[in-house]
Amino acid sequence: MAGTHVDITARKQAEEELQRINASLQSATEQARQLAESADAANRAKSEFLANMSHEIRTPMNGVIGMAQLLADTELNNSQRRYVQSILDAGQDLLYLINDILDFSKMESGQLILEEIDFSVQTLFDKLLLIFSPRATAKGLALSFNIDGSVPPLLNSDPTRLTQILNNLIGNALKFTHSGAVSVDVKASPAAENQYHLQFKVTDSGIGIAEEQVDRLFNKFTQADASINRRYGGTGLGLAICRQIIEAMGGSISCQSRLGEGSVFEFDVRVAAAGARSDKDSADTLNVDPNAMLSVASVLLVDDNATNLEVAAGMLARTGAQILCAASGDECLKLLREASVDLIFMDVQMPGMDGLTVTRTLRADPRWANIPVIAMTANSSEQDKQECLNAGMTDFLAKPLQKNALLAMLSRYGANFGFDVQGSAVGSLPTDVQNNIIRRALEDFSIKLEELHNHARASNFAALAALAHYLKGTAMTLGGGDLIQLLARLELLTKNSQPDHTELDLCISACVKAIKLFQSELKVALVACNEAGVADPTVDGANSSGGAVKG
């Protein structure tokens, strides 16, 4: 018997070593998975905590800022007005801080969502001028906005995020500039097909930044100099957030500055040609049938917080709207069974039946399916907004409520006849002139509406034709939208000595409804006019660089 012997000790040892390594890799992989899950859970917990804290802080802030805005509308002496303004300024500073922390959290967790909306750079600059002009004037600074001729009239991107970036850069420029000027310039250059590079430059003559500190500007929780925070305030998050938004929009940001010589911040973003809307954007607006609306005279406010109801009612009081209030979802439905309303402002988080459930109930009932419902909520994330829209709400207002934002919603959804007072010939006039014209028009419409009823009852067709012609001219001057067409139709019908009475009755009824809506729209415009005050920003005529708007 013969045999051979092979020593496999080394092979066995190698196999055992390989098994040990595999087991170690599996253990490390499982440990990494568990760590990743823990990190995700921690991120979710952090996001939920910040969202809840935002809601809890915004709710009382709505009362503080809202009541201060109402108090500012009353007769105050100079000291009292200064105290109220200090409350409003401090409240806005706190809101900026809350928003910065929430934005930072969203970006860290990859939750930043960019919208795709058609917008006008001119309109964006006009809004920024209204915001910053008073601050520039108070410091004796020249503030200018210049649009190069290369910028198309309409583009498609996220105007809210662009405004956020420019708010930060312009706000910083004004904060750190004590004499001289701040200018904002924009130009465009073609990128890919139907796309542009939009290039912004914000220049100031302020205190400047030391060269060795410029590179630190865009780091999180960092300011150029620690003493800056003590003197001027701020979290050090603003520029870091701007950089992350700009990079998400396909661009970059840079700064050139020297101590004592001012600063130049430049950034670019990629935008699309107008018309490149997303599907999501088209879902943001509910189609509302104007024929289902009698007038804007009835607004329903729904909120379980009595202070919030008082704030919103106070803000709407001067518009002439009839204001109804409900403290719960059940009370809202009960009231709707007893009264007709044209517009609803709905709190989202309420005990019992919340605002989302109430809205779904309204949309399922033909009686209320077409009433615009505006969400009022302290939860202000994009996800919260989408939940409201998915439930059937028409639009979204974040708390604390801002009076101008509330009035804008009333103007947008309370009258659906295409009125555009600000876009009319009157809208470009000085504020005090606008005020007088709108007041006279309101008085005139009230008188003429009574005359219209009298002529219709008397079947005085010639007088109706003359009255329709007169009112049509006024509506054309004031941006009367569909009212102009209705009055033109009434004029044409009544020029016939034997008009079709069925068609005439329908046309008169439609004109009366539209006139009442337009009166409410004019009242909203009058309130906004008074809010703006008599001091008008100066608008320079267009020049070769696209025009400059100076404050």
Side-chain angles (χ1 to χ4, degrees):
M1 179 176 178
T4 60
H5 298 277
V6 179
D7 188 353
I8 61 172
T9 302
R11 190 178 75 186
K12 283 289 187 181
Q13 288 175 340
E15 289 176 351
E16 289 172 358
E17 179 66 14
L18 184 61
Q19 289 173 350
R20 186 184 65 78
I21 291 172
N22 283 338
S24 177
L25 284 172
Q26 288 176 352
S27 175
T29 301
E30 177 62 22
Q31 186 177 9
R33 186 187 64 79
Q34 292 176 354
L35 287 172
E37 289 181 352
S38 297
D40 287 343
N43 272 334
R44 286 194 301 271
K46 180 180 71 173
S47 295
E48 289 173 5
F49 170 76
L50 288 172
N52 288 335
M53 285 304 298
S54 170
H55 180 273
E56 294 305 315
I57 294 172
R58 284 174 182 275
T59 298
M61 284 301 296
N62 186 59
V64 173
I65 294 177
M67 288 298 184
Q69 287 178 327
L70 295 179
L71 185 58
D73 285 339
T74 63
E75 291 188 13
L76 303 171
N77 62 38
N78 290 337
S79 295
Q80 291 168 333
R81 190 162 297 281
R82 190 169 65 252
Y83 300 154
V84 172
Q85 190 59 50
S86 295
I87 296 172
L88 288 171
D89 290 344
Q92 290 299 330
D93 288 343
L94 180 55
L95 281 182
Y96 291 144
L97 174 61
I98 295 169
N99 291 335
D100 276 355
I101 293 172
L102 282 175
D103 277 336
F104 177 66
S105 173
K106 288 178 193 173
M107 291 170 192
E108 285 219 313
S109 58
Q111 294 178 2
L112 178 67
I113 298 173
L114 296 175
E115 293 186 312
E116 296 175 349
I117 299 172
D118 286 352
F119 74 99
S120 159
V121 173
Q122 182 65 64
T123 300
L124 190 149
F125 274 9
D126 287 345
K127 291 178 180 177
L128 289 168
L129 177 68
L130 288 174
I131 293 170
F132 289 108
S133 182
R135 197 183 308 179
T137 301
K139 296 186 73 172
L141 302 175
L143 175 62
S144 63
F145 292 82
N146 309 301
I147 303 175
D148 187 76
S150 60
V151 179
L154 283 177
L155 293 166
N156 184 283
S157 184
D158 191 331
T160 301
R161 291 298 179 184
L162 277 176
T163 300
Q164 181 179 357
I165 297 164
L166 289 166
N167 268 335
N168 191 286
L169 296 179
I170 298 169
N172 282 346
L174 291 173
K175 181 192 295 186
F176 298 120
T177 302
H178 304 297
S179 63
V182 172
S183 65
V184 185
D185 299 87
V186 62
K187 61 183 179 179
S189 60
E193 185 179 0
N194 291 326
Q195 290 193 329
Y196 297 89
H197 287 295
L198 207 54
Q199 300 156 308
F200 292 88
K201 180 168 69 173
V202 179
T203 307
D204 67 63
S205 57
I207 61 175
I209 305 163
E211 291 184 35
E212 64 272 14
Q213 294 172 336
V214 169
D215 291 339
R216 302 172 50 213
L217 279 177
F218 303 103
N219 295 337
K220 301 164 187 173
F221 303 105
T222 299
Q223 292 184 315
D225 184 349
S227 64
I228 291 292
N229 179 271
R230 291 192 296 271
R231 182 177 176 187
Y232 294 99
T235 61
L237 276 175
L239 289 176
I241 291 170
C242 285
R243 186 191 68 183
Q244 289 182 285
I245 295 173
I246 289 166
E247 289 175 352
M249 298 177 78
S252 61
I253 184 170
S254 63
C255 172
Q256 294 180 339
S257 183
R258 287 188 178 182
L259 201 61
E261 296 183 12
S263 304
V264 178
F265 283 83
E266 293 183 274
F267 72 93
D268 68 284
V269 293
R270 180 168 287 204
V271 299
R277 288 180 177 271
S278 65
D279 293 338
K280 175 185 159 299
D281 180 57
S282 63
D284 281 355
T285 302
L286 180 75
N287 290 324
V288 181
D289 178 11
N291 294 323
M293 300 173 61
L294 296 177
S295 72
V296 75
S298 183
V299 176
L300 174 58
L301 304 173
V302 186
D303 200 311
D304 63 301
N305 186 301
T307 301
N308 290 345
L309 282 177
E310 187 175 355
V311 167
M315 289 178 175
L316 294 173
R318 293 171 59 196
T319 66
Q322 178 190 0
I323 300 165
L324 307 174
C325 295
S328 67
D330 290 322
E331 189 176 333
C332 167
L333 294 177
K334 180 177 181 294
L335 194 151
L336 285 172
R337 294 185 190 103
E338 301 169 352
S340 174
V341 303
D342 307 312
L343 181 63
I344 301 173
F345 289 95
M346 179 83 69
D347 185 29
V348 174
Q349 288 193 351
M350 295 185 289
M353 185 182 292
D354 63 27
L356 301 180
T357 304
V358 176
T359 303
R360 292 189 189 101
T361 303
L362 298 179
R363 297 303 176 223
D365 192 311
R367 294 173 294 176
W368 310 316
N370 287 323
I371 301 176
V373 178
I374 313 301
M376 298 189 301
T377 177
N379 292 332
S380 58
S381 72
E382 189 63 31
Q383 182 180 349
D384 295 318
K385 179 178 179 180
Q386 197 58 49
E387 284 181 2
C388 292
L389 298 174
N390 290 342
M393 290 181 164
T394 315
D395 216 321
F396 183 94
L397 274 178
K399 293 177 181 175
L401 295 179
Q402 301 294 323
K403 187 172 183 180
N404 287 343
L406 191 66
L407 293 177
M409 287 294 175
L410 181 65
S411 176
R412 181 176 180 184
Y413 296 107
N416 208 20
F417 279 77
F419 303 141
D420 187 12
V421 178
Q422 289 305 313
S424 69
V426 173
S428 62
L429 297 175
T431 306
D432 55 341
V433 178
Q434 287 186 48
N435 192 308
N436 291 333
I437 292 174
I438 293 171
R439 285 185 184 279
R440 286 199 301 271
L442 279 170
E443 295 171 1
D444 204 20
F445 270 117
S446 296
I447 296 169
K448 300 303 181 184
L449 194 57
E450 183 63 27
E451 290 181 15
L452 191 151
H453 284 299
N454 293 335
H455 296 327
R457 281 192 292 266
S459 297
N460 189 340
F461 303 133
L464 277 173
L467 182 59
H469 181 80
Y470 175 89
L471 292 175
K472 183 181 67 175
T474 305
M476 289 174 69
T477 302
L478 292 166
D482 289 352
L483 175 59
I484 299 168
Q485 281 69 44
L486 287 170
L487 290 167
R489 181 61 182 161
L490 179 59
E491 181 182 5
L492 183 64
L493 283 172
T494 49
K495 281 183 176 179
N496 185 343
S497 59
Q498 293 182 324
D500 182 315
H501 286 279
T502 301
E503 186 178 359
L504 179 61
D505 289 344
L506 288 172
C507 187
I508 289 174
S509 176
C511 284
V512 169
K513 292 176 186 178
I515 288 170
K516 288 181 178 179
L517 281 168
F518 193 43
Q519 284 178 299
S520 297
E521 178 76 0
L522 290 174
K523 289 176 182 176
V524 172
L526 186 61
V527 172
C529 216
N530 291 331
E531 285 291 316
V534 295
D536 260 345
T538 301
V539 181
D540 285 357
N543 55 30
S544 58
S545 64
V549 183
K550 295 184 178 180

